[in-house]
Amino acid sequence: MSDLSRFGVSAEEELLQNFDRMIAGQGYANRSEALRDLMRDALVKSKLEDAPETGRVLGSLTLVYDHHASDLNDKMNSLQHEYFNSIASVLHVHISQDDCLEVIVLRGEISQVRALADALLSLKGVKHGKLFVTLPAQEIVEPKKSAPKN
Ligand code: NI
């Protein structure tokens, strides 16, 4: 880990009490780790919003779907082959007679990752799903890249 810096934060008593209650409920041992996680999350969001169409990302797409839905398995299979470059791994679990849960681990260009997620999430028969996107750990704390100069 890089060198640690300490800083003081002022906050209203009520805000702090609520924050402490929340992070204790989430299992944090102290405020520092909770704050570091919030900072990393904010940095990832900011960097992804600044460069929405370029750059490599990591992520996962979780889908719940009814495998009886017509042609759904074929369509999902075709899309995953079309975007094979962005898929690192797939986990499939049969969660009931009808439903399947799939977790697709993604690693690739953000535009490709988002296109695949949108295409899968919008298929008929997909009941619920969510894309999670993050950056390689070292890129979270890197300074923002400035625009290239000519
Ligand atoms: Ni299944």
Side-chain angles (χ1 to χ4, degrees), residues 57-59 83 86 106-118 131-133:
V57 295
L58 306 167
Y83 289 90
S86 303
L106 301 156
R107 182 171 54 198
E109 281 296 317
I110 188 165
S111 58
Q112 296 287 296
V113 164
R114 283 194 171 132
L116 173 60
D118 288 345
L131 173 65
F132 167 80
V133 178

Side-chain angles (χ1 to χ4, degrees), residues 61 63 65 72-92 101-106 115-117 119-120 123 126:
L61 175 65
L63 301 165
Y65 62 94
L72 183 57
N73 281 324
D74 283 348
K75 286 176 185 163
M76 288 182 69
N77 204 23
S78 295
L79 279 166
Q80 291 189 38
H81 278 280
E82 190 179 331
Y83 289 90
F84 73 93
N85 266 326
S86 303
I87 298 177
S89 184
V90 180
L91 169 76
H92 184 105
L101 181 146
E102 211 158 276
V103 180
I104 303 172
V105 179
L106 301 156
L116 173 60
L120 287 170
L123 288 175
V126 174

Side-chain angles (χ1 to χ4, degrees), residues 65 67 73 92-102:
Y65 62 94
H67 78 273
N73 281 324
H92 184 105
V93 182
H94 313 300
I95 54 174
S96 73
Q97 290 281 340
D98 301 321
D99 293 329
C100 304
L101 181 146
E102 211 158 276

Side-chain angles (χ1 to χ4, degrees), residues 13 28 33 39 45 49-50 59 64 101 120 131 137-138 145:
E13 189 60 34
Y28 284 102
E33 184 55 20
M39 291 163 80
K45 277 187 188 146
E49 280 161 15
D50 280 0
V64 174
L101 181 146
L120 287 170
L131 173 65
Q138 69 275 13
K145 290 180 187 111

